């Protein structure tokens, strides 16, 4: 299965695009990335801290300087014990370290497509690890769909290969970014939908149903122990079986506010 680290790493390339609103006529990788980076740098000039509260987590973000460039460090507090581990890694918080230069070098411009009624530029990366060396080895392709008018991501798809480990292995993870709003100069989507997709045979689906049913029948303490041992695999199984996306709804955004003491 995908290592948990692969989600924040993959999304570090995506959520940096969230800062990329600005006028442009993008027809190539270079022009798309140039416009996004310029807007990203402009917002970094005005946003020193911000707090994003969603239905699943609260993310605290503070601007710092690393390698001579401004970026954000983040702490995320989850709400409730049953919250999805995938959602925990989709905070805009951990995501502001985009490798712009590597993206210019390794992405290809794949024309335009319509996503949710929006005309989008398509950037495709066939070797994700070349853009970010920390990318999980089972990530085989990443595709970004960037709103051609607002220059923010409308969708991201990460395709994966089987990891060889036991448990469910998603063949792709798709994230939709919706309902963009700007708060004191910070533009973020106020709804994100994470869809896990897998090529499962009827037999595999039946095996997953049986495993989930057996888990329900275990004594509570034993069931909790099993869930802790399985980590995100149980959540992934439930998600694959339901076919419904994990929905993240932003409830509030505070910009340039004091961080709680001892947060970092």
């Amino acid at each position: 299965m995908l290592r948990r680290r692969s989600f924040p790493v993959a999304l570090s390339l995506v959520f940096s695009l969230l800062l990329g609103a600005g006028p442009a006529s993008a027809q190539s990788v270079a022009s798309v990335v140039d416009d996004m980076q310029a807007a990203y740098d402009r917002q970094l000039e005005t946003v020193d801290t911000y707090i994003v509260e969603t239905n699943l987590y609260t993310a605290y973000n503070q601007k710092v300087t690393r390698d001579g460039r401004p970026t954000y460090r983040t702490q995320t507090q989850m709400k409730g014990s049953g919250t999805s581990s995938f959602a925990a890694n989709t905070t805009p918080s951990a995501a502001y370290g985009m490798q712009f230069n590597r993206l210019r070098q390794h992405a290809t411009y794949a024309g335009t497509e319509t996503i949710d009624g929006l005309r989008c530029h398509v950037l495709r990366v066939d070797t994700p690890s070349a853009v970010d060396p920390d990318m999980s080895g089972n990530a085989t392709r990443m595709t970004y769909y960037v709103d051609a008018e607002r220059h923010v991501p409308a969708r991201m798809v990460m395709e994966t290969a089987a990891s060889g480990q036991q448990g469910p292995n998603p063949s792709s993870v798709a994230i939709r970014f919706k309902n963009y709003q700007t708060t004191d100069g910070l533009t973020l989507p106020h709804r994100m939908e994470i869809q896990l997709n897998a090529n499962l045979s009827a037999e595999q689906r039946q095996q997953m149903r049986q495993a989930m049913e057996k888990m329900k029948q275990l004594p509570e303490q034993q069931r909790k122990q099993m869930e802790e041992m399985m980590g995100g695999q149980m959540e992934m199984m439930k998600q694959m079986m339901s076919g419904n996306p994990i929905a993240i709804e932003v409830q509030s955004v505070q910009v340039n506010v004091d961080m709680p003491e001892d947060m970092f």
Side-chain angles (χ1 to χ4, degrees), residues 135-254:
M135 184 68 64
S136 174
N138 59 324
T140 59
R141 172 181 288 183
M142 296 178 65
T143 306
Y144 305 92
Y145 301 82
V146 183
D147 186 331
E149 181 176 350
R150 298 189 63 187
H151 309 286
V152 293
R155 186 171 185 248
M156 184 276 280
V157 178
M158 180 169 65
E159 300 174 36
T160 66
S163 65
Q165 299 181 10
Q166 294 183 350
N169 290 281
S171 57
S172 69
V173 180
I175 306 175
R176 291 182 181 272
F177 306 93
K178 300 181 176 182
N179 188 22
Y180 276 91
Q181 298 180 31
T182 300
T183 304
D184 296 332
L186 178 68
T187 299
L188 295 174
H190 277 50
R191 180 178 175 86
M192 293 171 282
E193 297 175 352
I194 306 170
Q195 183 74 58
L196 306 177
N197 301 302
N199 297 320
L200 297 176
S201 66
E203 181 179 359
Q204 289 173 320
R205 289 183 179 276
Q206 181 62 24
Q207 291 174 347
M208 290 176 66
R209 290 191 189 96
Q210 291 174 350
M212 293 170 64
E213 192 60 35
K214 289 180 180 179
M215 286 283 291
K216 291 180 181 179
Q217 296 173 1
L218 292 174
E220 182 177 359
Q221 184 175 358
Q222 188 176 354
R223 185 177 67 252
K224 288 182 178 179
Q225 290 176 345
M226 287 293 294
E227 289 175 348
E228 290 177 359
M229 290 175 59
M230 294 181 68
Q233 291 190 35
M234 177 57 67
E235 295 168 5
M236 189 183 294
M237 288 173 63
K238 292 177 180 178
Q239 191 63 32
M240 290 179 179
M241 294 301 296
S242 71
N244 298 321
I246 299 171
I248 302 174
E249 295 276 3
V250 172
Q251 298 172 337
S252 68
V253 178
Q254 302 176 66

Side-chain angles (χ1 to χ4, degrees), residues 1-203:
M1 71 178 266
L2 286 174
R3 295 183 301 179
R4 290 185 61 179
R5 178 172 174 78
S6 67
F7 286 90
V9 170
L11 292 168
S12 69
L13 298 178
V14 178
F15 282 104
S16 297
L17 308 186
L18 301 179
L19 296 182
S25 176
Q27 300 297 328
S28 69
V29 170
S31 57
V32 171
V33 176
D34 286 348
D35 292 328
M36 291 188 296
Q37 183 171 13
Y40 171 82
D41 290 340
R42 285 194 298 271
Q43 286 201 154
L44 275 170
E45 292 176 359
T46 60
V47 178
D48 293 324
T49 64
Y50 66 98
I51 301 173
V52 180
E53 182 179 2
T54 77
N55 56 317
L56 300 182
Y57 59 79
T58 301
Y60 300 86
N61 309 270
Q62 184 179 64
K63 184 165 66 177
V64 296
T65 299
R66 291 176 181 161
D67 299 325
R69 290 185 57 86
T71 184
Y72 292 95
R73 62 177 178 178
T74 299
Q75 289 289 345
T76 301
Q77 295 181 348
M78 303 304 299
K79 295 182 177 180
S81 59
T83 302
S84 169
S85 61
F86 302 117
N89 291 324
T90 60
T91 66
S93 38
Y96 291 118
M98 188 173 187
Q99 302 282 356
F100 287 112
N101 289 333
R102 291 179 179 175
L103 190 63
R104 287 186 187 93
Q105 295 172 12
H106 298 286
T108 57
Y109 183 76
T112 61
E113 293 187 24
T114 300
I115 303 294
D116 295 331
L118 302 173
R119 177 175 171 269
C120 295
H121 297 292
V122 182
L123 301 182
R124 184 167 294 146
V125 178
D126 291 326
T127 53
S129 61
V131 175
D132 194 317
D134 291 329
M135 184 68 64
S136 174
N138 59 324
T140 59
R141 172 181 288 183
M142 296 178 65
T143 306
Y144 305 92
Y145 301 82
V146 183
D147 186 331
E149 181 176 350
R150 298 189 63 187
H151 309 286
V152 293
R155 186 171 185 248
M156 184 276 280
V157 178
M158 180 169 65
E159 300 174 36
T160 66
S163 65
Q165 299 181 10
Q166 294 183 350
N169 290 281
S171 57
S172 69
V173 180
I175 306 175
R176 291 182 181 272
F177 306 93
K178 300 181 176 182
N179 188 22
Y180 276 91
Q181 298 180 31
T182 300
T183 304
D184 296 332
L186 178 68
T187 299
L188 295 174
H190 277 50
R191 180 178 175 86
M192 293 171 282
E193 297 175 352
I194 306 170
Q195 183 74 58
L196 306 177
N197 301 302
N199 297 320
L200 297 176
S201 66
E203 181 179 359

